[in-house]
Amino acid sequence: MSIADLLLMELNTIEKTKQRNMDIIKLLLKEFEAEFNTTNKFLALVPTDKFDWAPHERSMKMKSLASHIAELPGWVSLAITADGLDFATAPYEEKKVITNGDLIHLLEESYQNGKQELENADPQRLNNQWILRNGDQILGDLTKYEMIRIAFSQIIHHRAQLGVYLRLLDIPIPGSYGPSADDQSF
């Protein structure tokens, strides 16, 4: 085998690796869009007059839960642009929302920011370390990719909580990954 053949094989391997890396970005973007669309349907149903309602004294108020869900797509941006988050130096502050329209606007803004960062992400950097901490306490030693997946999972988890809140208020639940008992037209 000649040196030219070896170089050609190496170039082909590099190109295949680049293609696989680009595929992960495309796959994440597709999933991100689907979760955004489903989340948008749920948040559109949150009644402003029930913002201070919670199903239990230890449960979050609906407004707190809904605003947290609306901001979570922004964690994709955080995962890509930062190397971690320290709650000791950046404590959580609930986003201010007054109307249902504010919730939808927050969701759209968070999604667009996350989507833009993901579209421009270097796939190789998704393997870089990302640390979630509270001062000296390490809460998560992850890769940027893992943090993106956690952001998606958090959206899904809290959206399911919101679904319980809506059900308890007798508000019909939209389908998520298929029809719901209230929405057979999925």
Side-chain angles (χ1 to χ4, degrees):
M1 186 174 287
S2 71
I3 292 177
D5 289 335
L6 289 172
L7 286 173
L8 185 58
M9 282 177 46
E10 182 67 21
L11 288 173
N12 284 336
T13 300
I14 291 169
E15 190 57 38
K16 286 179 184 175
T17 300
K18 277 183 178 175
Q19 185 60 43
R20 279 194 309 271
N21 288 340
M22 291 307 293
D23 288 347
I24 192 65
I25 297 292
K26 288 178 185 175
L27 291 169
L28 287 169
L29 283 165
K30 182 178 179 182
E31 182 179 3
F32 196 28
E33 180 181 14
E35 294 306 333
F36 164 75
N37 290 333
T38 301
T39 302
N40 195 33
K41 290 190 295 186
F42 274 72
L43 289 180
L45 298 173
V46 174
T48 306
D49 65 335
K50 297 294 185 186
F51 270 7
D52 289 328
W53 183 84
H56 188 274
E57 64 187 36
R58 290 185 299 197
S59 298
M60 277 196 264
K61 302 286 186 197
M62 184 172 296
K63 178 178 162 184
S64 297
L65 177 60
S67 67
H68 182 52
I69 294 166
E71 73 181 343
L72 280 169
W75 280 56
V76 172
S77 179
L78 181 65
I80 294 167
T81 62
D83 293 326
L85 175 63
D86 185 350
F87 288 122
T89 59
Y92 176 76
E93 292 183 29
E94 185 176 320
K95 300 294 184 190
K96 304 293 184 234
V97 295
I98 298 170
T99 68
N100 186 277
D102 293 340
L103 281 175
I104 300 302
H105 177 75
L106 178 58
L107 174 66
E108 290 171 352
E109 183 178 73
S110 299
Y111 170 69
Q112 288 303 324
N113 289 338
K115 179 182 173 198
Q116 181 178 357
E117 291 297 338
L118 190 52
E119 287 171 338
N120 296 317
D122 175 359
Q124 294 297 324
R125 294 196 67 230
L126 296 181
N127 290 316
N128 290 3
Q129 187 178 41
W130 200 92
I131 303 289
L132 181 63
R133 67 175 62 239
N134 188 11
D136 293 334
Q137 180 185 17
I138 302 294
L139 304 172
D141 184 347
L142 314 157
T143 64
K144 289 177 177 280
Y145 172 79
E146 290 170 321
M147 190 57 217
I148 291 167
R149 295 292 312 128
I150 286 173
F152 289 3
S153 295
Q154 285 293 299
I155 293 166
I156 296 162
H157 163 74
H158 289 298
R159 189 177 67 222
Q161 283 182 294
L162 180 61
V164 172
Y165 283 37
L166 296 173
R167 173 65 73 218
L168 291 171
L169 292 172
D170 205 27
I171 297 171
I173 308 298
S176 293
Y177 304 106
S180 76
D182 302 308
D183 182 8
Q184 293 294 311
S185 64
F186 178 80

